[in-house]
Amino acid sequence: MNRTVARVRTPIESAFAQAGNIFALFLDVIRKTFQRPFQLREFIEQSWFIASVSILPSALVAIPFGAVVALQTGSLIKQLGAESFTGATSVLATVQQAAPVVTALIIAGAAGSAVAADLGSRTIREEIDAMEVLGVDPVQRLVVPRVLGMMLVALLLNGLVSVVGIAGGYFFNVLLQGGTPGAYLASFSALAQLPDLWIGEIKALVFGLIAGVIAAYKGLHPKGGPKGVGDAVNQSVVITFLVLFFVNLVLTLVYLQVVPAKGA
């Protein structure tokens, strides 16, 4: 009985300890963002690297996402007899949900895994320990530029995914479902409002911060040599996905309670 309790309790304690360590790293990143000197060159290089591995996959994934949203909402709206609102519903679904979710998947899967692998390889080569011996803070020197770069790229990717998703939805709705271009575009002003865009950008910014912190933590704490780096990369992606979907739910609930729907 005691062994069974220990087997159940040990993973739970480890999960809570890891969550606490990630939160502590999150606080360190916020605090050391304002320390000088700011690593501007590292920030620019990491932002460019993260963008280079994220832009093309984001654009390619946004097209089928926008198509699925447009086809599904168009079919449902047609059953309800409100075809004139097809454009507004598909755009709202894309801007509020689809674009931030696609951004989260790409940032966590492509950029987050790259950051975790980079920091993990530095850790097993004892570069991080050497920096600490020399009095260089690895969080301020390496982690902060990468987290800020992921936040910036996530913010920009969300806009890209929104534009590509809306264009794809427009294309599939007009050509495949027989919708009219004028009704699709005119319905924007009926239901859509500026806060819908803001919540998408806020989600992307938060997702980039979370993905960056988790990837950096896993990269700084690999176990078992090179194999541990691979395990750390996989764990960072899985943990980031779980956290991002939960945070997306919370942000959506808060937004729907705080911001009234247009015309309500």
Side-chain angles (χ1 to χ4, degrees):
M1 185 64 181
N2 292 333
R3 292 181 179 179
T4 303
V5 173
R7 290 176 181 175
V8 174
R9 185 177 62 184
T10 300
I12 296 177
E13 292 179 348
S14 176
F16 277 104
Q18 189 173 99
N21 293 332
I22 293 174
F23 185 72
L25 179 60
F26 166 74
L27 296 179
D28 282 344
V29 169
I30 293 178
R31 181 168 53 87
K32 294 177 182 179
T33 299
F34 303 99
Q35 286 187 1
R36 295 294 180 267
F38 179 73
Q39 304 298 325
L40 181 61
R41 181 175 180 177
E42 184 78 10
F43 168 70
I44 295 175
E45 290 178 353
Q46 291 302 317
S47 298
W48 175 252
F49 170 72
I50 293 169
S52 66
V53 300
S54 304
I55 290 177
L56 183 59
S58 299
L60 295 178
V61 172
I63 296 175
F65 254 79
V68 169
V69 170
L71 295 175
Q72 188 65 44
T73 56
S75 176
L76 180 60
I77 291 296
K78 185 176 292 186
Q79 294 177 12
L80 298 176
E83 291 88 344
S84 60
F85 292 102
T86 301
T89 53
S90 62
V91 169
L92 286 175
T94 300
V95 173
Q96 288 189 17
Q97 300 299 328
V101 168
V102 169
T103 301
L105 295 178
I106 298 300
I107 286 295
S113 59
V115 169
D118 178 37
L119 294 178
S121 62
R122 290 171 181 262
T123 301
I124 65 172
R125 292 197 304 263
E126 299 182 350
E127 292 183 19
I128 304 298
D129 295 336
M131 292 177 65
E132 292 177 347
V133 170
L134 293 174
V136 179
D137 189 353
V139 175
Q140 195 264 345
R141 178 66 178 81
L142 299 177
V143 176
V144 170
R146 285 163 173 76
V147 173
L148 295 181
M150 292 183 71
M151 293 173 65
L152 175 62
V153 174
L155 196 66
L156 300 177
L157 280 182
N158 184 71
L160 172 66
V161 172
S162 298
V163 172
V164 175
I166 292 172
Y170 172 85
F171 176 81
F172 282 94
N173 178 260
V174 172
L175 293 186
L176 298 183
Q177 293 184 314
T180 59
Y184 190 94
L185 297 175
S187 61
F188 286 173
S189 60
L191 297 177
Q193 53 185 338
L194 187 59
D196 297 327
L197 177 61
W198 289 123
I199 185 60
E201 292 294 304
I202 291 173
K203 284 182 179 181
L205 199 65
V206 173
F207 292 164
L209 174 62
I210 293 173
V213 171
I214 294 177
Y217 173 79
K218 282 299 182 179
L220 292 175
H221 300 87
K223 298 179 181 179
K227 181 180 182 299
V229 175
D231 294 338
V233 171
N234 294 332
Q235 292 172 10
S236 69
V237 174
V238 173
I239 294 174
T240 304
F241 280 178
L242 295 175
V243 175
L244 291 184
F245 282 117
F246 177 75
V247 172
N248 181 55
L249 172 63
V250 173
L251 291 177
T252 302
L253 291 175
V254 172
Y255 172 75
L256 293 178
Q257 294 296 323
V258 172
V259 179
K262 190 173 182 179

